[in-house]
Amino acid sequence: MENNKLKKMEIPKIKLVPSPETNEATSAIGYKWNEIAGTRHFLGGKPEEVSEDDYPTCDNCKKEMTFYAQIDSIGENYDLADCMVIHNYVCFSCLTVKAQLMQLLA
């Protein structure tokens, strides 16, 4: 009997810190008016402000997907609709990926 709600895989949280390689890249990072937006990048752990019950289901095999990464807006010139983040999920059963834009409090 197959169970789509087997033990959930959780990747340990790994904070990502931007390391720009050029002056242009350095000037692209961050916001003048907000110290939090642009700093919420990480791999693994749990997505901010999302319940595990709301994790997506794989479109191919219908199993629950694993949260893989949260990528924040880069800065004012590359803002994702008022400081949104991208939540990235992966299905380790069939290697399907899914991304969702989410509005977080910043």
Side-chain angles (χ1 to χ4, degrees):
M1 180 172 161
E2 186 174 330
N3 183 352
N4 288 345
K5 292 282 186 180
L6 295 173
K7 184 180 176 197
K8 295 179 182 180
M9 180 184 296
E10 185 174 326
I11 300 166
K13 186 173 181 177
I14 303 163
K15 179 76 174 159
L16 298 177
V17 179
S19 180
E21 295 183 1
T22 65
N23 289 336
E24 180 183 22
T26 299
S27 66
I29 295 173
Y31 294 83
K32 294 176 187 164
W33 52 271
N34 189 320
E35 293 180 7
I36 296 171
T39 66
R40 303 168 293 180
H41 315 284
F42 58 89
L43 300 173
K46 295 182 180 179
E48 293 179 1
E49 300 181 28
V50 175
S51 165
E52 286 185 45
D53 294 334
D54 294 326
Y55 284 21
T57 300
C58 178
D59 292 334
N60 292 331
C61 71
K62 308 302 181 210
K63 293 184 179 177
E64 184 176 288
M65 300 183 86
T66 298
F67 176 71
Y68 199 84
Q70 176 173 294
I71 306 298
D72 201 350
S73 291
I74 297 170
E76 293 178 77
N77 294 331
Y78 303 98
D79 188 53
L80 297 172
D82 197 21
C83 303
M84 293 180 92
V85 299
I86 304 168
H87 286 160
N88 300 276
Y89 296 86
V90 65
C91 176
F92 281 100
S93 294
C94 68
L95 299 178
T96 297
V97 296
K98 188 178 282 189
Q100 299 175 336
L101 278 173
M102 301 293 293
Q103 184 68 61
L104 303 183
L105 298 175

